[in-house]
């Protein structure tokens, strides 16, 4: 900690970050590896829709539950061992998935995968904080998030093609093998911090300010203090309401809906879901720019319109007589693609309304909103299919999918109501609006 970082990151910093991003791409591939093969999973394990949804629900649940422990471990041991362990856990999870003889073991494999996945992105953020100047952090985080989404395309196209050309065991075993290779690569290349520092610190090369990087969430006073601020609750509900429809579509139910419901070919379904991913990558920087320019209008100008666009697009597809035309399905996935970038605005709220010592806590609370809503949406869609007697690939129908996807509407409406409420309370807290006067009786 004797000399500050140079204004221009070294080649070693870029190399370490590049390896971290590649690991994150593989983590996203692991996370969404059922995206294009959900029907195959249902056939292999003779699983109904509710059981199939538990693959994603429990995986996301473990991911969310691991956020606090991962923060503590990062503070104690740094990024290198944590990201290495994450890659190993995902490799083991995919190997178990490749060889699992029944649905119970397969679900356990997805939970193991969720635990490993939870370790990767926070570790890469830690690498950015310790190897790059502090003022470059926001751009590097955006680039990491955008590039990581390419992992969804790998899950949608090459993995599905490999499975259909070979077998379930070979496809998922190959992903497990990649995980082992990346574990070795990560351990060999990534270092916690530059060699001239004794601990993980972030350096602002403009001001010379040095601060210790912390990831752990304060599980005592900090959570209560963060939640008591309406800005944190606004962040939570913004993250709860914007991304869940895209999460449910891309993680599990999109391809079965397109193939078994809409009657599209596997190639058309892959093209449609790829457009979803690429649209999210394109919309992200634009949404980030608008969020920075409209700090007091983020909810009204960006978040609430995003919710409305997603809900209207889904309702039009659901109400369309017969299978929806291809152009309308592309419109739907572009609408769903706005959810991920809009959910990032929630972190702008968390950062704006919380002091630096409470930022990790507020970020953890915010992040839990999207995973909670995603779990609920995925499970409700599966449950609705089962209740209609359309819970297996042989019984999937377009009408059953239409009713199942209607279960998303209450989540949008509840979330929008709380966003409006917490936005008003936040503006009052900031002195931008007058508090409501109590009516005299």
């Amino acid at each position: 900690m004797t000399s500050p970082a140079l204004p221009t990151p070294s080649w070693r910093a870029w190399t370490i970050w590049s390896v971290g991003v590649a690991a994150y791409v593989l983590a996203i591939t692991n996370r969404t590896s059922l995206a294009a093969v959900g029907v195959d999973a249902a056939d292999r394990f003779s699983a109904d829709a509710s059981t199939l949804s538990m693959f994603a629900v429990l995986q996301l649940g473990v991911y969310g539950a691991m956020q606090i422990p991962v923060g503590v471990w990062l503070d104690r041991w740094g990024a290198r061992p944590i990201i290495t362990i994450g890659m190993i856990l995902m490799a083991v999870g995919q190997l178990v998935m490749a060889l699992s003889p029944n649905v119970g073991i397969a679900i356990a494999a997805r939970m193991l995968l969720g635990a490993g996945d939870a370790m990767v992105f926070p570790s890469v953020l830690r690498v950015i904080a310790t190897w790059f100047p502090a003022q470059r952090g926001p751009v590097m985080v955006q680039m990491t998030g955008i590039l990581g989404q390419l992992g969804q395309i790998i899950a949608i196209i090459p993995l599905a093609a490999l499975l259909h050309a070979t077998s379930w065991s070979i496809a998922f075993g190959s992903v497990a093998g990649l995980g082992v290779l990346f574990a070795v690569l990560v351990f060999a290349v990534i270092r916690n911090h530059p060699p001239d520092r004794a601990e993980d610190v972030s350096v602002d090369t403009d001001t010379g300010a040095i601060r210790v990087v912390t990831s752990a969430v304060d599980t005592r006073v900090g959570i209560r203090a963060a939640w008591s601020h309406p800005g944190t609750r606004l962040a939570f509900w913004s993250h709860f309401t914007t991304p869940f429809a895209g999460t449910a579509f891309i993680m599990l139910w999109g391809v079965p809906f397109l193939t078994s419901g809409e009657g599209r070919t596997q190639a058309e379904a892959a093209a449609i879901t790829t457009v979803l991913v690429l649209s999210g990558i394109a919309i992200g920087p634009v949404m980030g720019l608008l969020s920075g320019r409209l700090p007091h209008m983020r909810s009204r100008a960006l978040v609430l319109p995003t919710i409305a666009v997603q809900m209207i697009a889904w309702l039009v597809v659901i109400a369309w007589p017969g299978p929806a035309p291809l152009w309308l399905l592309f419109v739907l996935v572009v609408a769903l693609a706005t959810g991920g970038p809009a959910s990032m605005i929630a972190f702008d709220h968390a950062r704006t309304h919380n002091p630096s010592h409470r930022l990790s806590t507020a970020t953890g609370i915010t992040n839990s909103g999207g995973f909670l809503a995603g779990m609920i949406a995925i499970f409700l869609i599966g449950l609705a299919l089962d209740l209609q007697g359309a819970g297996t690939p042989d019984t999937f129908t377009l009408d059953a999918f239409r009713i199942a996807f209607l279960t998303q509407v209450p989540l949008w409406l509840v979330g929008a109501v709380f966003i409006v409420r917490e936005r008003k309370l936040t503006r009052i807290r900031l002195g931008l609006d007058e508090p409501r006067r109590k009516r005299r009786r």
Side-chain angles (χ1 to χ4, degrees):
M1 215 164 66
T2 57
S3 61
L6 295 173
T8 301
S10 66
W11 66 268
R12 188 178 186 186
W14 286 111
T15 301
I16 289 173
W17 174 75
S18 298
V19 171
V21 170
Y24 182 50
V25 170
L26 183 57
I28 295 291
T29 301
N30 278 279
R31 183 189 305 174
T32 55
S33 54
L34 289 183
V37 297
V39 173
D40 301 87
D43 287 335
R44 177 178 176 85
F45 300 112
S46 301
D48 59 20
S50 295
T51 303
L52 188 61
S53 69
M54 295 308 293
F55 281 90
V57 168
L58 292 176
Q59 176 187 334
L60 288 177
V62 171
Y63 184 104
M66 287 292 291
Q67 294 303 302
I68 292 176
V70 167
V72 173
W73 297 335
L74 280 171
D75 287 343
R76 181 173 299 178
W77 294 303
R80 183 193 187 198
I82 301 305
I83 194 171
T84 302
I85 293 170
M87 302 309 294
I88 293 172
L89 285 176
M90 286 188 289
V92 173
Q94 292 290 33
L95 181 61
V96 173
M97 192 73 178
L99 304 175
S100 56
N102 57 60
V103 70
I105 294 177
I107 289 177
R110 299 302 292 186
M111 293 172 69
L112 193 62
L113 191 149
D117 182 15
M119 298 181 178
V120 178
F121 187 58
S123 297
V124 180
L125 297 188
R126 185 82 164 207
V127 165
I128 292 171
T130 56
W131 279 93
F132 289 83
Q135 58 269 40
R136 286 180 178 248
V139 174
M140 298 301 296
V141 171
Q142 285 284 346
M143 289 176 60
T144 300
I146 289 171
L147 292 173
Q149 301 316 303
L150 297 175
Q152 298 183 37
I153 297 177
I154 297 174
I156 292 167
I157 300 177
L159 179 60
L162 179 61
L163 186 149
H164 295 140
T166 56
S167 68
W168 178 276
S169 296
I170 291 175
F172 282 89
S174 299
V175 179
L178 278 176
V180 173
L181 291 176
F182 266 82
V184 174
L185 179 63
V186 163
F187 190 78
V189 175
I190 290 181
R191 293 296 181 270
N192 289 346
H193 48 71
D196 60 338
R197 301 181 196 154
E199 58 183 325
D200 290 1
V201 296
S202 175
V203 180
D204 188 318
T205 54
D206 288 341
T207 65
I210 300 175
R211 70 175 183 86
V212 176
V213 179
T214 58
S215 304
V217 173
D218 182 348
T219 56
R220 300 181 298 277
V221 178
I223 290 180
R224 293 194 298 271
W227 185 254
S228 68
H229 197 296
T232 304
R233 300 196 297 271
L234 175 61
F236 173 87
W237 287 109
S238 298
H239 202 265
F240 179 96
T241 317
T242 46
F244 72 80
T247 299
F249 194 94
I250 200 69
M251 281 200 70
L252 190 61
W253 293 119
V255 171
F257 164 72
L258 293 171
T259 55
S260 299
E262 292 286 346
R264 296 293 170 180
T265 65
Q266 191 71 31
E268 288 174 325
I272 292 168
T273 48
T274 299
V275 167
L276 191 160
V277 176
L278 295 178
S279 298
I281 292 173
I283 293 168
V286 177
M287 195 76 76
L289 180 64
L290 292 175
S291 178
R293 292 187 175 183
L294 302 169
H296 298 301
M297 292 291 292
R298 290 166 177 158
S299 298
R300 182 176 291 181
L302 299 174
V303 174
L304 291 172
T306 295
I307 296 167
V309 164
Q310 292 183 79
M311 184 165 63
I312 291 170
W314 253 127
L315 290 176
V316 170
V317 170
I318 289 171
W320 195 271
L326 191 60
W327 66 265
L328 182 56
L329 295 174
F330 279 118
V331 169
L332 171 65
V333 294
V334 172
L336 295 180
T338 63
S343 72
M344 294 297 102
I345 295 173
F347 296 106
D348 292 333
H349 288 311
R351 185 166 51 251
T352 300
H353 302 297
N354 285 275
S356 58
H357 69 272
R358 210 169 61 209
L359 184 56
S360 292
T361 302
T363 300
I365 292 172
T366 301
N367 203 28
S368 66
F371 287 103
L372 176 62
M375 289 189 294
I376 294 172
I378 290 170
F379 179 72
L380 287 179
I381 292 168
L383 181 62
L385 287 170
D386 279 343
L387 291 176
Q388 297 174 82
T392 62
D394 293 335
T395 57
F396 285 159
T397 66
L398 179 56
D399 288 339
F401 272 116
R402 284 170 167 166
I403 294 174
F405 280 113
L406 280 175
T407 59
Q408 298 174 112
V409 174
L411 296 177
W412 279 314
L413 295 179
V414 169
V417 168
F418 276 103
I419 288 170
V420 171
R421 178 180 183 272
E422 300 301 342
R423 177 182 185 272
K424 181 67 175 177
L425 293 175
T426 301
R427 290 180 63 83
I428 292 173
R429 180 79 168 260
L430 297 176
L432 298 174
D433 287 346
E434 292 291 329
R436 295 179 180 177
R437 295 181 180 179
K438 295 182 179 180
R439 294 180 180 178
R440 295 181 179 179
R441 294 182 179 180

